Amino acid sequence: MEMTEKKWNLELLHLGKMRCKKSRMILTENPEEEIDIPVSAVLLRHPDYGNVLYDTGNAEDWSECLPESIQQGFPVTEWVSIRTALKKKGLSPEEIDVLILSHLHFDHAGGLREFAGTKAGNAVRISRSELSHALVKVFTGTVGGYVKSLIDVPGITYQPVDQDTVLFPGLTLFLQQSHAPGLIGLEVETENRGTVLCVSDAVYLRENEEKELPPDSPNREVAQGFLEHLKLLQKRREQTGAVILYGHDLKQEEQWIEEEESDR
Ligand SMILES: [Zn+2]
């Protein structure tokens, strides 16, 4: 009997949008230009290994819990609950087997509360260095994208990731030293898109890659680190024949979701 290897099915969940200065994402000639960026999660399903979710979007009470500085820099213009997005796929938070957070910024960890007390919520995968970093931030009142009420949640327990890990056959977590300490990326062999590298905020936009431009940062090291990491990712892509899923690229998100809907 011939066995065909089963692979993961990858779907993007649209969890809303934010608006920001384009320069927060990429160096640009016009510092006042604004763009819409999507907030999304990745749903991976496998007939043998179950349901894996990567990120959770913004919090329902974003207008109350996000500090003024974040609300001014990244106003939320659309919010979709992770619960609603999962429901559209016929799933509930209770049916997610593994939840991975790329990092603990508000627009990725905001829906964590929906997983309190669930199987996935009992072992949320996060990089150990990012968890330490975020906890110091929120317990010392320094912001930088971290909000205490979103990540210190009753009913949520973290399972720190210390190194690159094969979570299941065809699904590897890799730690990236860019944007956040140990930002988790996924390398996943999918049925519907071949090998995909989900890089989260290590690369925000396709344009970052095409123009080889980092975000506009006063810190030269940040820009340098961004470009060096981009090169690593490009090498990894060449070796695996993968496509890159960018962290906040509206065009790519819209295109992928459109394709998923026409596939059905
Ligand atoms: Zn983000």
Side-chain angles (χ1 to χ4, degrees):
M1 198 172 76
E2 198 176 309
M3 298 280 286
T4 35
E5 198 192 336
K6 294 170 198 155
K7 289 185 176 170
W8 293 87
N9 185 69
L10 184 150
E11 292 167 284
L12 271 187
L13 306 181
H14 176 73
L15 301 178
K17 285 180 196 165
M18 301 188 292
R19 216 171 155 70
C20 68
K21 292 258 168 67
K22 190 173 179 183
S23 61
R24 302 296 291 262
M25 302 285 113
I26 186 167
L27 272 170
T28 167
E29 275 161 26
N30 174 5
E32 293 311 309
E33 184 182 356
E34 294 194 337
I35 57 169
D36 290 312
I37 59 173
V39 175
S40 42
V42 176
L43 174 64
L44 298 169
R45 296 199 253 196
H46 193 285
D48 299 328
Y49 309 127
N51 305 318
V52 174
L53 183 68
Y54 179 63
D55 286 343
T56 62
N58 269 313
E60 179 167 19
D61 62 344
W62 58 268
S63 64
E64 285 130 52
C65 74
L66 297 185
E68 212 34 52
S69 58
I70 292 180
Q71 291 200 40
Q72 280 176 8
F74 294 89
V76 177
T77 52
E78 183 195 11
W79 176 78
V80 179
S81 128
I82 184 66
R83 184 177 285 276
T84 305
L86 285 172
K87 199 172 176 187
K88 269 189 168 174
K89 305 291 179 184
L91 291 172
S92 69
E94 290 73 23
E95 289 169 290
I96 297 301
D97 295 293
V98 181
L99 172 59
I100 303 158
L101 293 182
S102 61
H103 61 309
L104 289 168
H105 284 167
F106 64 96
D107 55 322
H108 299 261
L112 194 54
R113 284 178 287 199
E114 296 285 3
F115 296 85
T118 68
K119 179 186 178 189
N122 284 330
V124 178
R125 304 310 201 278
I126 183 74
S127 129
R128 184 183 297 275
S129 44
E130 167 66 349
L131 181 58
S132 310
H133 175 74
L135 292 183
V136 170
K137 290 272 186 187
V138 299
F139 283 103
T140 56
T142 47
V143 183
Y146 302 100
V147 177
K148 185 168 182 289
S149 65
L150 300 182
I151 63 182
D152 181 12
V153 179
I156 291 291
T157 306
Y158 293 100
Q159 183 169 322
V161 177
D162 291 293
Q163 59 195 10
D164 293 8
T165 306
V166 178
L167 189 63
F168 295 105
L171 175 53
T172 299
L173 315 190
F174 61 94
L175 300 181
Q176 311 178 85
Q177 299 312 323
S178 189
H179 185 73
L183 179 74
I184 294 182
L186 308 182
E187 180 180 318
V188 51
E189 288 166 27
T190 77
E191 194 67 57
N192 53 333
R193 293 197 179 275
T195 304
V196 179
L197 296 177
C198 305
V199 304
S200 185
D201 292 359
V203 190
Y204 301 112
L205 311 173
R206 186 189 301 277
E207 201 179 335
N208 290 114
E209 192 190 351
E210 285 175 353
K211 298 186 176 163
E212 297 199 353
L213 285 177
D216 191 0
S217 167
N219 185 337
R220 275 185 64 115
E221 272 174 45
V222 170
Q224 197 57 35
F226 182 96
L227 293 175
E228 278 167 21
H229 184 66
L230 179 61
K231 290 214 174 81
L232 284 181
L233 287 172
Q234 288 171 324
K235 196 178 275 178
R236 192 178 185 117
R237 174 175 55 192
E238 269 170 42
Q239 286 162 352
T240 55
V243 290
I244 292 180
L245 177 63
Y246 305 98
H248 288 287
D249 191 304
L250 187 59
K251 251 189 216 155
Q252 185 184 35
E253 196 220 38
E254 286 175 347
Q255 191 190 336
W256 281 35
I257 288 175
E258 204 183 298
E259 288 166 5
E260 283 163 22
E261 281 170 0
S262 66
D263 273 357
R264 272 193 283 157

